[in-house]
Amino acid sequence: FVQVSGAAEGSDGQSKYNEQEALKVAEILVDLLKGDELALKDIGVVSPYSAQVRALRQQLRDELGKRSDLTWDRKAAFALEVASVDAFQGREKEVIIFSAVRSNNSGNVGFLADWRRLNVMITRA
């Protein structure tokens, strides 16, 4: 688990996103790729919120696009799966980065407070 200090969640309709967490996920992804043991096709990024999936895709596209120290091509970038928990069901990857999104002063974790939903999230990824 990685704590993202100073992160604040936002809302997009009923869905949630966290820009600071998306940035941290991009940093983690870049660090994984620098090890030259994993390729984009080996990594999956999963979030329970569709707004966070959109934020992650944008952040990862921006971050990978400006990195000259990584060897990858645009075709390889399509191999990186960024999806909701439901959409990721049944896939296998060497590494899963899970973006939980929720960060607020009241400690509200939304629907993940239900242990059954949390279990589904973890086991599907």
Side-chain angles (χ1 to χ4, degrees):
F1 295 94
V2 177
Q3 180 176 337
V4 182
S5 299
E9 66 185 54
S11 293
D12 182 4
Q14 294 293 319
S15 193
K16 305 286 185 192
Y17 64 91
N18 186 320
E19 301 263 343
Q20 285 298 109
E21 191 172 293
L23 181 60
K24 188 62 164 178
V25 167
E27 291 174 12
I28 291 168
L29 179 72
V30 167
D31 287 345
L32 287 170
L33 293 172
K34 282 182 179 178
D36 288 333
E37 293 182 22
L38 295 167
L40 288 171
K41 68 178 179 59
D42 299 322
I43 303 168
V45 182
V46 180
S47 179
Y49 295 99
S50 59
Q52 184 70 356
V53 169
R54 289 188 297 275
L56 286 163
R57 286 179 179 157
Q58 182 62 51
Q59 186 64 47
L60 294 171
R61 202 171 24 245
D62 292 349
E63 186 64 27
L64 290 173
K66 68 182 180 184
R67 300 300 300 232
S68 61
D69 56 333
L70 297 175
T71 55
W72 67 282
D73 60 39
R74 299 237 179 252
K75 279 185 177 179
F78 288 106
L80 174 65
E81 288 190 68
V82 181
S84 69
V85 173
D86 290 335
F88 206 83
Q89 183 179 2
R91 309 277 201 315
E92 289 188 21
K93 297 289 181 175
E94 295 296 320
V95 173
I96 295 293
I97 301 171
F98 177 73
S99 177
V101 180
R102 302 306 297 264
S103 175
N104 53 65
N105 291 332
S106 62
N108 184 353
V109 293
F111 67 82
L112 294 179
D114 180 342
W115 68 268
R116 292 169 295 199
R117 285 183 167 264
L118 185 62
N119 183 55
V120 168
M121 173 211 52
I122 291 171
T123 57
R124 284 193 177 174

